Amino acid sequence: MTTDKSATSLDKADAPPVGNPDAAQGAATVTDPRLLIREQGLGGYVTEFKRKISGGDLGSIPVIVGLAIIAIVFQSMNSEFLSAKNISDIATTMVATGMMAVGIIFVLLLGEIDLSVGSVSGVSGALVAVLSVTQGMNEWLAILVAVVSGAVMGAIHGFFFARVGAPAFAVTLAGLLFWLGFMLQLLGDSGTINLDGDGVVGKLTTYYFTDVAAAYGLAAIAVVGYFAAAFLDTRRREAAGIPARPLADILVRTAVIAVFGFAAAYMFNQYRGLPLALVLFLIVLVGTDFVLRRTAYGRKMFALGGSVEASRRAGINVTAIRVSVFSIAGTFAAIGGLFWASKIAAANQGSGTGDLLMNVIAAAVIGGTSLFGGRGRTWNALLGVMVIVSIQYGLSLEGIATPIQYMVTGAVLLATVVIDSVTRRTQKTAGRA
């Protein structure tokens, strides 16, 4: 007995001091949420929710609550806000900014910023217009050139940042100015080149799948796809002997997705049908989310956003990842530029300017991507851009001037950044950062 006490005393004496005993105690008692739900049922959801709130892990809750408030407020002000036409217009308009926000999310995951995406998108639209309209090049080939050019422009920014060591802020600010000048040079003295509304680019935002089966079919694919992915993931986890979500939990989540998916499909079919732009956007979100969450490349990105030095010591090629991320941002900026050109059926001197850059960054941050790096998903682009475009359309329906729209959007962005900062501080206090 004496030996046991001595051993215990020795263990305690040799144990390293704990800087934050409360955080250490909380970290030691964390239970996998899947086990809580399996063991406690509905009570497990409540327990896990309380744990997340106390630990500063708010996730997408603020954005979802914000969207609900936006819908309630603007619908009460104008009954047209939730009309089929307005929802369809919002879904189509948000795609251009959303595509660019996807690229920005990749950069933000590293804890960096890209200020050039607006100008890169303008160059993309100008290239397609000049090559296909002025030079007579095949439109598909012109689109390929524009997208590849966006990737190259992003890679140039990444090279100066990752290889030369220049700050990303300064490099991309220089890119913003340079590519803006390049776009103006491409457009020439006229400053505007009109696009064929029936062309490939023109149809990006004007084509709708009018058959009602298209919208309902997409909703069904989304529901079945989610259930299959979640169910197979659970089977793999159970086979590996690690905690997995119970079937009831998967069914509840699937039901929620089904409600929103089929409700959206119903609304689209009340107007012109399923927008092609939205379909392409959803495909991009699914693909990029898979890259981030299911590939070694995605894991390396999150690791790099968490700690550059630790990633380097782990054998990650930091330079290659950084260059590739900025190239991805340039690629999606170019794709977004094509959708903007489609929206106005032209490439002009105003392309990529104005509040576009602000909205792109705001969409990523408002959606839940951290400015400090290491936290975010490409689905954040969808949530964030829905908030921004919904506010813009809601204010426009009331005839509220553009300056007020800027002020409201800026206030929402500030609130999001404050929430992000407070959340990060809370997680550190709870020992979860």
Side-chain angles (χ1 to χ4, degrees):
M1 183 67 68
T2 305
T3 303
D4 293 340
K5 289 182 179 179
S6 301
T8 303
S9 300
L10 182 61
D11 291 341
K12 291 181 178 178
D14 291 342
V18 178
N20 190 341
D22 294 335
Q25 183 179 2
T29 58
V30 170
T31 304
D32 192 290
R34 301 175 184 87
L35 291 178
L36 283 174
I37 295 169
R38 182 181 295 276
E39 295 172 359
Q40 302 179 17
L42 181 59
Y45 285 104
V46 177
T47 302
E48 174 63 7
F49 178 76
K50 290 180 179 179
R51 185 188 68 82
K52 286 185 175 182
I53 296 299
S54 62
D57 185 9
L58 300 178
S60 300
I61 295 176
V63 190
I64 295 174
V65 172
L67 282 171
I69 293 174
I70 289 171
I72 293 172
V73 170
F74 284 122
Q75 179 66 15
S76 64
M77 296 171 63
N78 192 317
S79 59
E80 290 298 312
F81 182 76
L82 292 180
S83 66
K85 179 183 183 304
N86 198 55
I87 290 177
S88 181
D89 289 344
I90 290 175
T92 304
T93 301
M94 72 181 188
V95 171
T97 303
M99 287 287 193
M100 298 171 67
V102 169
I104 280 289
I105 286 173
F106 277 78
V107 177
L108 290 178
L109 286 175
L110 299 186
E112 302 297 338
I113 194 67
D114 189 344
L115 303 178
S116 68
V117 291
S119 296
V120 172
S121 71
V123 171
S124 171
L127 278 173
V128 168
V130 170
L131 294 177
S132 64
V133 177
T134 305
Q135 303 298 324
M137 179 183 289
N138 177 272
E139 192 173 7
W140 281 106
L141 182 57
I143 291 173
L144 178 62
V145 170
V147 174
V148 171
S149 297
V152 171
M153 287 184 274
I156 292 173
H157 301 152
F159 171 81
F160 282 104
F161 165 60
R163 179 67 67 178
V164 178
F169 179 91
V171 170
T172 56
L173 179 60
L176 180 154
L177 298 173
F178 182 87
W179 301 122
L180 176 60
F182 183 61
M183 179 193 72
L184 297 177
Q185 186 70 26
L186 282 175
L187 293 174
D189 296 333
S190 64
T192 300
I193 300 177
N194 294 323
L195 296 173
D196 181 10
D198 294 326
V200 178
V201 175
K203 288 184 177 180
L204 286 177
T205 56
T206 60
Y207 184 84
Y208 293 79
F209 297 97
T210 55
D211 192 332
V212 295
Y216 290 125
L218 180 61
I221 291 173
V223 173
V224 173
Y226 174 81
F227 176 80
F231 182 75
L232 292 176
D233 182 64
T234 295
R235 294 292 297 272
R236 286 194 297 267
R237 297 181 71 90
E238 289 177 344
I242 56 180
R245 295 191 183 279
L247 180 60
D249 179 45
I250 298 175
L251 291 174
V252 170
R253 293 168 180 264
T254 303
V256 172
I257 293 176
V259 169
F260 283 99
F262 282 99
Y266 173 79
M267 295 300 292
F268 289 138
N269 284 331
Q270 298 307 302
Y271 181 52
R272 299 175 62 182
L274 179 65
L276 170 64
L278 181 62
V279 175
L280 296 176
F281 187 33
L282 292 176
I283 291 174
V284 165
L285 291 175
V286 172
T288 52
D289 183 69
F290 178 83
V291 169
L292 286 180
R293 299 177 60 217
R294 301 295 182 181
T295 66
Y297 177 78
R299 289 190 289 271
K300 290 177 181 178
M301 280 188 54
F302 280 106
L304 188 55
S307 173
V308 176
E309 187 57 32
S311 299
R312 185 178 286 110
R313 292 182 179 181
I316 296 176
N317 190 332
V318 174
T319 300
I321 295 294
R322 283 175 163 175
V323 173
S324 66
V325 164
F326 277 89
S327 181
I328 290 172
T331 300
F332 281 107
I335 294 173
L338 298 179
F339 279 89
W340 277 118
S342 174
K343 188 67 177 176
I344 63 176
N348 58 36
Q349 295 178 339
S351 300
T353 60
D355 62 343
L356 177 58
L357 174 62
M358 179 197 73
N359 286 338
V360 170
I361 297 176
V365 177
I366 290 173
T369 303
S370 175
L371 284 169
F372 301 98
R375 190 178 82 244
R377 295 179 59 180
T378 50
W379 287 99
N380 297 148
L382 174 61
L383 294 174
V385 77
M386 284 176 64
V387 170
I388 291 175
V389 178
S390 295
I391 290 175
Q392 292 174 343
Y393 268 74
L395 295 176
S396 296
L397 285 175
E398 293 302 305
I400 297 176
T402 301
I404 303 300
Q405 296 183 27
Y406 286 164
M407 294 167 65
V408 172
T409 305
V412 172
L413 176 59
L414 176 61
T416 305
V417 173
V418 169
I419 291 174
D420 184 30
S421 300
V422 173
T423 297
R424 184 177 178 85
R425 190 181 306 117
T426 304
Q427 288 177 336
K428 285 184 176 180
T429 303
R432 301 183 60 196

